[in-house]
Amino acid sequence: VFNPIPDPAGTNWQTNLKNQPDSSDKIQALINQYGIAELPSGIFYINKPLLLKNGQGIIGAGDGKTAIVAKIPTINIIEGATHLNERVQMVTSFVLADLTLQGGLNGINHNAAGSGVGSDYNLVTLSHVTFRNMANAGILIDNIYAWDNNFIDHTNFYRCKTGIKQIPNPAYIGGDRVGMTNKKKNVFY
């Protein structure tokens, strides 16, 4: 018997999204100041992506208690921001734990424009995270180096078009190079 999928924002989560207070700058300021933003129980509405650099993250009070909800369905909730213009392999790790991400285009978007084609997301921890109602994907990995050696436990993908979507550079011809969007040695528990 499985526990119910956490739903802290409830069934009417889309009601009056534009009238909800925006917490984007508040959460980003916590991330920038402390590295790891600790959010209490509650629903936090955002109108722009939260940017996570190497060593940063967000921890809630539980995936059934803390939710970050996109006010605009076309924004990503989390984006990478460490190596914007790097063309060489650069390792980035981050943590997301005990929260629900809901209602955006992608829950996590790691693409060449934000992360850089050389970004290697390594030693990432996703623990007790629920991705709900993403228009495209819970996690989008697009034209970067890799998602490699990460630990993903107790993670739900609920009513997302795709759970994890991987898009390599269309010009990729093989071999170990930036932009190949390699995904390997990820542990799902």
Side-chain angles (χ1 to χ4, degrees):
V1 175
F2 294 99
N3 292 326
I5 296 172
D7 189 12
T11 55
N12 296 324
W13 67 274
Q14 288 178 299
T15 304
N16 292 325
L17 282 176
K18 67 180 179 180
N19 295 327
Q20 299 298 336
D22 178 38
S23 297
S24 305
D25 292 337
K26 176 184 173 184
I27 296 171
Q28 191 67 57
L30 289 171
I31 293 166
N32 294 345
Q33 182 175 359
Y34 300 108
I36 305 291
E38 294 185 34
L39 300 180
S41 296
I43 303 168
F44 299 88
Y45 297 92
I46 62 170
N47 65 10
K48 60 185 173 186
L50 300 171
L51 306 177
L52 294 180
K53 296 180 180 179
N54 186 38
Q56 295 182 330
I58 305 169
I59 298 175
D63 58 351
K65 296 178 180 178
T66 304
I68 299 174
V69 178
K71 292 177 64 167
I72 304 164
T74 56
I75 67 164
N76 301 304
I77 295 179
I78 305 291
E79 289 185 355
T82 298
H83 310 295
L84 184 59
N85 295 314
E86 295 291 335
R87 306 287 292 168
V88 297
Q89 181 182 349
M90 301 296 288
V91 174
T92 301
S93 64
F94 67 95
V95 62
L96 291 177
D98 298 319
L99 54 88
T100 292
L101 303 177
Q102 187 162 357
L105 181 62
N106 300 292
I108 297 173
N109 181 6
H110 287 150
N111 64 23
S115 300
V117 294
S119 288
D120 181 358
Y121 286 89
N122 190 290
L123 304 178
V124 168
T125 300
L126 299 181
S127 181
H128 294 86
V129 176
T130 296
F131 296 89
R132 295 183 69 92
N133 307 98
M134 298 299 162
N136 186 45
I139 301 170
L140 176 63
I141 306 162
D142 181 7
N143 194 17
I144 63 172
Y145 180 72
W147 249 60
D148 184 20
N149 291 307
N150 300 308
F151 185 69
I152 299 100
D153 76 289
H154 298 88
T155 297
N156 300 298
F157 297 92
Y158 180 78
R159 294 195 175 165
C160 299
K161 183 176 178 183
T162 305
I164 300 174
K165 188 172 185 176
Q166 177 181 3
I167 304 172
N169 181 334
Y172 174 68
I173 56 172
D176 188 15
R177 62 190 65 201
V178 297
M180 71 180 182
T181 316
N182 182 19
K183 186 172 59 141
K184 64 181 180 181
K185 298 185 293 257
N186 294 295
V187 177
F188 291 84
Y189 174 78

